[in-house]
Amino acid sequence: MMDRRTYLKSAGVATAGGLAGLAGCVGGNGNGIPTLEYNYVVPIEALGSIQGIPELQDELEHYGDEYELNVNQVSGTPDAVMGMASGEVDLAFLTTVSFGSAIEEDAVPGGITGIMMDFYDAHPDYYGSTVYSLPDSDLTDPEDLEGQTLGINALGTATHAVYVKMFSEVGLDPDDDVEFMELEFPATTAALEDGRMDAGFYPPLFASEPRDEGFTEVFTSHDAWDEMYPFSFVAATNDSLEEKDDAIAAWADDCASFFEYVQENRSEVVSLAADHFDIPEPAIDAFYLTEYDFYRQLEFETDRFDETLDELVDLGYLDEQRDWTEYITNEYV
């Protein structure tokens, strides 16, 4: 199996040199209003994804006057990094793994900066990323996963890191003792039931099904991590921060009030999100902004961010420790 660092260098994060031929895109709408290009991965999980719902854009005070916003889904955070590297994306929903790798590989010309948290994993009072097996499975503990096939959205991701962190605690080698099967999250349950894999990873959007149907909880991120850690957040290219700073500041200001709005008007947001993303409303209602959701806040806990990235060095995702707080800011929140 390809090791994690080799995977990240060869497939997960494109280098700046490899994208040098792609034209940059510092765009506007033709009326002098900058357009911010934003990429996300999992709908609803990312606060920015909900900002693409037309019926909710009236709640963005500065939208249309100080910035326009194009919200687009990509298959994974490495794709978001590639978009930033090409100059076509200003803001992207990244994880600690993709963010740290992009910095180490100099993947984005001019660099990137984390400007706003989205959510933390493994908060003691909220959802922790969970690996389930079938209800009648003998796989009940992480040690039981030796020799098994495990579902994951992609290698070299923050979800992959949850497995690797847990295996480091119980003495399993993620490269030799298990086999990973890459597939999209919505296909996880079918793959388990078909016998194509033995256990699968569930983010909160998809976890209500195994929880309600009595699947076996093998482990959660609470078991792997001693305390909550930053999972996903918004990063901006430094070029965009220079060229579109006022627009990004206006968008960030809207995020703060928008976050309050979605909490105060949860039922409306759940209904609109179900229609917009074509996801059953009960599936969204079962987790969003409940104890079954990730813990959400917009500010970085800087010390915890630094500790987490250093942990990724120890786990083999990143090459060397550094002061990772130099690459994030709470200036915009």
Side-chain angles (χ1 to χ4, degrees), residues 18-303:
L19 289 165
L22 293 175
C25 179
V26 181
N29 66 357
N31 296 321
I33 301 174
T35 297
L36 302 178
E37 300 288 342
Y38 169 91
N39 281 358
Y40 70 94
V41 179
V42 180
I44 306 163
E45 271 191 9
L47 181 66
S49 69
I50 301 173
Q51 293 174 336
I53 300 175
E55 294 88 344
L56 292 175
Q57 289 178 336
D58 285 344
E59 305 306 324
L60 303 174
E61 179 183 355
H62 305 295
Y63 175 79
D65 294 323
E66 299 178 52
Y67 68 93
E68 298 284 352
L69 183 67
N70 285 337
V71 178
N72 296 292
Q73 186 176 18
V74 294
S75 61
T77 54
D79 291 332
V81 172
M82 290 179 67
M84 299 174 91
S86 72
E88 296 176 345
V89 175
D90 302 294
L91 305 164
F93 174 88
L94 300 183
T95 64
T96 48
V97 173
S98 57
F99 181 79
S101 299
I103 290 170
E104 284 200 336
E105 297 299 314
D106 293 323
V108 180
I112 58 177
T113 299
I115 63 169
M116 182 183 302
M117 269 303 303
D118 213 317
F119 55 80
Y120 287 79
D121 190 17
H123 187 287
D125 298 324
Y126 290 86
Y127 183 79
S129 300
T130 303
V131 172
Y132 283 102
S133 60
L134 290 173
D136 58 353
S137 173
D138 293 331
L139 306 178
T140 60
D141 296 295
E143 293 90 340
D144 300 331
L145 297 179
E146 184 173 3
Q148 306 303 311
T149 300
L150 311 178
I152 193 171
N153 66 321
L155 292 170
T157 61
T159 56
H160 184 222
V162 174
Y163 280 112
V164 174
K165 181 68 168 70
M166 189 71 255
F167 293 160
S168 74
E169 301 295 323
V170 299
L172 292 181
D173 186 329
D175 294 323
D176 297 328
D177 293 340
V178 300
E179 180 177 350
F180 286 105
M181 174 185 288
E182 295 179 304
L183 76 172
E184 296 181 352
F185 291 127
T188 300
T189 296
L192 285 172
E193 293 175 341
D194 291 346
R196 289 179 286 141
M197 67 185 193
D198 304 295
F201 185 100
Y202 285 83
L205 175 59
F206 303 103
S208 61
E209 179 183 18
R211 185 167 57 241
D212 294 343
E213 295 186 7
F215 280 38
T216 302
E217 182 184 288
V218 182
F219 74 88
T220 76
S221 56
H222 297 107
D223 302 316
W225 295 84
D226 293 334
E227 57 183 307
M228 75 171 190
Y229 66 98
F231 195 95
S232 289
F233 49 93
V234 178
T237 70
N238 290 344
D239 286 347
S240 295
L241 290 175
E242 181 177 347
E243 296 163 359
K244 302 181 180 181
D245 185 67
D246 290 343
I248 291 174
W251 171 79
D253 185 62
D254 279 351
C255 283
S257 57
F258 187 71
F259 185 46
E260 292 182 7
Y261 180 86
V262 298
Q263 293 178 87
E264 294 169 357
N265 298 272
R266 179 183 178 277
S267 296
E268 174 198 5
V269 172
V270 166
S271 179
L272 290 172
D275 290 340
H276 183 77
F277 295 109
D278 195 23
I279 297 173
E281 186 170 334
I284 302 173
D285 190 50
F287 89 93
Y288 190 57
L289 298 179
T290 74
E291 64 184 291
Y292 297 113
D293 194 2
F294 288 124
Y295 173 69
R296 300 175 178 276
Q297 72 174 42
L298 302 185
E299 293 184 2
F300 286 99
E301 300 282 348
T302 55
D303 288 347

